[in-house]
């Protein structure tokens, strides 16, 4: 099998995707029109021209503006359904999606509206596409600890529909330590824990995510390589990193894909996985990310298979399901 065929044939789990970051300009225009909300662009082309980010913050400004047109349950359904169709094209058979409740509740949209739309899309994806999924809600770290506590409170009636809690938005100046107490409460309530750390922020933030938030996975974490002791810890604990290559390139975390460290991390025994982060904004979904690193870093077919196996092992599915997908991947030749 040639490499492109292998990438397409591999079953994959996606563990780092913000549902608001899958919002394609075409759908944004359609929903904006339907909801009679003005957006500062005349055409899809104009939207795409605005996507010339140079760091995380310049992306986040546009990403939050785009989410403003989402009002009704059906809007959240349509958003998630469009993403599931991309999953089907890329053979992503399982996904653990982030959503940012505060981006919506701060605009007066009920928590319930958001989760009901997303959940209905998840149910349809299972029934119609055979794709399984979990929802992870993220706190916006540029907002206060108090606001995160309020959001956690709002989520409790929907606890059975939310597998975990994460931390995203502007990393610099908002260390995991700021949310230590909220995450302690989330753990008490039975949520699994993830956090963005070591994307733009230093290795120190990864230590905090491990020691203070007690994460089950680190989102991004590519700057961990700067700290040999941290690398030893990640390897010893088999701590997954959900790496997002096209995102890192677009936000200038790396200057060239040939300089990306995902292959070095893999070779050193770090449990890395491949993910799309905000695919509508960063130029590609799951397979585009696989293709980009396979080409730039000259990955072998065995390495591609290992990355796909890692994605299931790092996921929150059952041990039986993990074993089933691992066998399928091993049997691809
Ligand atoms: N980093 C932090 N916050 C985010 C990201 C990201 O890559 N995508 C959406 N929110
Ligand atoms: Zn992210």
């Amino acid at each position: 099998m040639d490499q492109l065929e292998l990438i397409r044939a591999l079953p994959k789990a996606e563990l780092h995707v913000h549902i608001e970051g899958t919002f394609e300009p075409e759908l944004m225009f359609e929903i904006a029109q339907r909801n009679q909300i003005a957006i500062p662009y005349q055409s899809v082309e104009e939207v795409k021209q605005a996507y010339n980010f140079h760091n995380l913050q310049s992306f986040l400004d546009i990403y939050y503006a785009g989410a403003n047109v989402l009002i009704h349950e059906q809007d959240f359904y349509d958003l998630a359904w469009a993403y599931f169709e991309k999953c089907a094209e890329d053979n992503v058979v399982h996904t653990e999606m982030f959503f940012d409740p505060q981006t919506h509740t701060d605009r007066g949209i009920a928590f319930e509206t958001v989760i009901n739309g997303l959940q209905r899309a998840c149910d349809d994806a299972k029934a119609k596409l055979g794709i399984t999924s979990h929802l992870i809600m993220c706190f916006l770290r540029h907002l206060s600890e108090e606001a995160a506590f309020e959001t956690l409170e709002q989520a409790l009636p929907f606890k059975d529909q939310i597998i975990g809690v994460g931390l995203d938005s502007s990393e610099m100046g908002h260390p995991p330590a700021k949310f230590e107490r909220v995450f302690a409460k989330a753990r008490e309530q039975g949520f699994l824990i993830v956090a963005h750390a070591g994307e733009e922020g230093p290795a120190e933030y990864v230590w905090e995510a491990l020691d203070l938030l007690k994460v089950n996975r680190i989102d991004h974490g590519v700057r961990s390589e700067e700290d040999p002791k941290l690398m030893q810890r990640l390897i010893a604990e088999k701590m997954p990193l959900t790496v997002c290559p096209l995102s890192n390139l677009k936000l200038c975390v790396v200057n060239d894909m040939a300089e990306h460290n995902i292959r070095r991390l893999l070779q050193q025994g770090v449990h890395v996985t491949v993910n799309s982060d905000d695919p509508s904004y960063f130029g590609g979904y799951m397979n585009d990310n696989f293709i980009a690193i396979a080409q730039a870093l000259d990955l072998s077919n065995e390495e591609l298979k290992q990355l796909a196996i890692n994605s299931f092992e790092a996921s929150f599915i059952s041990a039986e399901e993990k074993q089933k997908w691992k066998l399928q991947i091993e049997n691809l030749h």
Side-chain angles (χ1 to χ4, degrees), residues 16 18 98 168 196 199 219-220 244 277-278:
H16 185 156
H18 303 260
F98 299 136
D168 66 3
H196 284 54
E199 177 187 19
D219 295 316
H220 292 295
C244 307
D277 205 2
D278 301 280

Side-chain angles (χ1 to χ4, degrees), residues 16 18 56 59-60 63-64 100 141 167-171 196 199 220 247 251 277-278 282:
H16 185 156
H18 303 260
L56 178 57
F59 153 69
L60 289 170
Y63 160 85
Y64 294 130
D100 290 339
R141 67 203 303 158
L167 187 65
D168 66 3
S169 189
S170 323
E171 190 179 3
H196 284 54
E199 177 187 19
H220 292 295
S247 165
L251 300 185
D277 205 2
D278 301 280
F282 298 151

Side-chain angles (χ1 to χ4, degrees), residues 300-317:
S300 68
N301 284 1
E302 282 313 305
E303 286 172 318
L304 294 171
K305 286 164 79 170
Q306 190 61 53
L307 288 166
I309 290 171
N310 284 359
S311 75
F312 291 102
E313 286 190 340
S315 76
F316 298 144
I317 60 178

Side-chain angles (χ1 to χ4, degrees), residues 7 21 33 47 73 89 94 97 99 102 106 113 145 174 195 211 221 233 247 263 285 295 300 308 311 327:
I7 289 170
Q33 212 155 42
V47 181
E73 184 187 313
E89 278 175 35
H94 175 73
M97 296 186 283
F99 69 109
Q102 289 157 297
D106 284 2
T113 303
E145 181 197 33
H174 302 285
D211 291 334
R233 165 105 180 254
S247 165
R263 188 178 191 194
Y285 287 78
Q295 291 178 346
S300 68
S311 75
L327 283 175

